[in-house]
Amino acid sequence: MSIKPEIVERAEQPYVGVRGTVTMETFGKIADRMPELIGSLLQRGVELAGAPFFRYTRIDMANELEVEAGVPVNAAIPEQGEQFNGVLPAGRYVCLTHIGHPDELVDVTGQLLTWAAEQGLTWDNTGQQWGCRLEILKTNPTVEPDMTKWETELAFRLAD
């Protein structure tokens, strides 16, 4: 599979999220929070400002991942329960759109990391801690239930 990433400038983006510590096997524990988060925001009358995403803040594939399930909003809102306000940082991001089952994202991510290394690019990370590494969920599963047709954008921030 040949990938065609792009480097794009992204503006900062406020969001509301929930966070969790999971493994690759228990990722559903954070993924399953997304409908609850979106439903809560809509119920509160919050206007969504983009597609929901997963933000990986710490990645230790052998042990655990710290992940946020987030939804872009236009401005910070009063926090409720485990929900918090955050801001995705502005900057240059390597972006790649994948159409296919989410299970394929591990391989696609590996290809993206290899491509970036070949280009001499430096990530916004220190070891396992990432400044901003996103999987943006472009497909609404209630509209397209076939997971092999889902569109996911990977957006990983580069070091300044």
Side-chain angles (χ1 to χ4, degrees), residues 1-156:
M1 174 190 313
S2 128
I3 63 169
K4 293 183 171 64
E6 312 180 272
I7 298 175
V8 300
E9 193 74 32
R10 294 174 60 102
E12 74 175 22
Q13 174 64 62
Y15 70 97
V16 175
V18 293
R19 57 177 60 92
T21 301
V22 296
T23 64
M24 290 303 291
E25 291 75 32
T26 64
F27 193 84
K29 284 176 29 181
I30 192 71
D32 292 347
R33 307 275 318 266
M34 191 68 78
E36 158 200 333
L37 175 61
I38 293 169
S40 167
L41 293 172
L42 293 174
Q43 189 173 46
R44 294 166 62 190
V46 175
E47 184 179 338
L48 308 185
F53 59 84
F54 296 113
R55 180 180 185 179
Y56 295 79
T57 56
R58 190 172 62 81
I59 301 173
D60 177 358
M61 292 297 283
N63 295 301
E64 61 188 20
L65 314 167
E66 289 176 7
V67 183
E68 299 171 357
V71 180
V73 294
N74 292 316
I77 62 168
E79 294 182 354
Q80 177 178 300
E82 293 180 60
Q83 296 176 10
F84 65 89
N85 288 294
V87 176
L88 299 176
R92 292 182 320 130
Y93 285 74
V94 173
C95 297
L96 175 69
T97 298
H98 171 70
I99 298 174
H101 198 285
D103 287 349
E104 298 168 356
L105 288 171
V106 170
D107 289 337
V108 173
T109 298
Q111 291 175 45
L112 179 61
L113 295 172
T114 298
W115 176 87
E118 290 168 353
Q119 308 305 309
L121 299 173
T122 304
W123 299 116
D124 175 21
N125 75 320
T126 305
Q128 298 172 347
Q129 295 294 133
W130 283 77
C132 198
R133 180 168 162 167
L134 304 171
E135 287 179 4
I136 303 167
L137 313 174
K138 301 285 195 157
T139 303
N140 181 338
T142 62
V143 174
E144 178 53 75
D146 183 351
M147 295 173 84
T148 65
K149 296 180 180 175
W150 285 8
E151 183 177 334
T152 306
E153 179 184 358
L154 301 179
F156 298 0

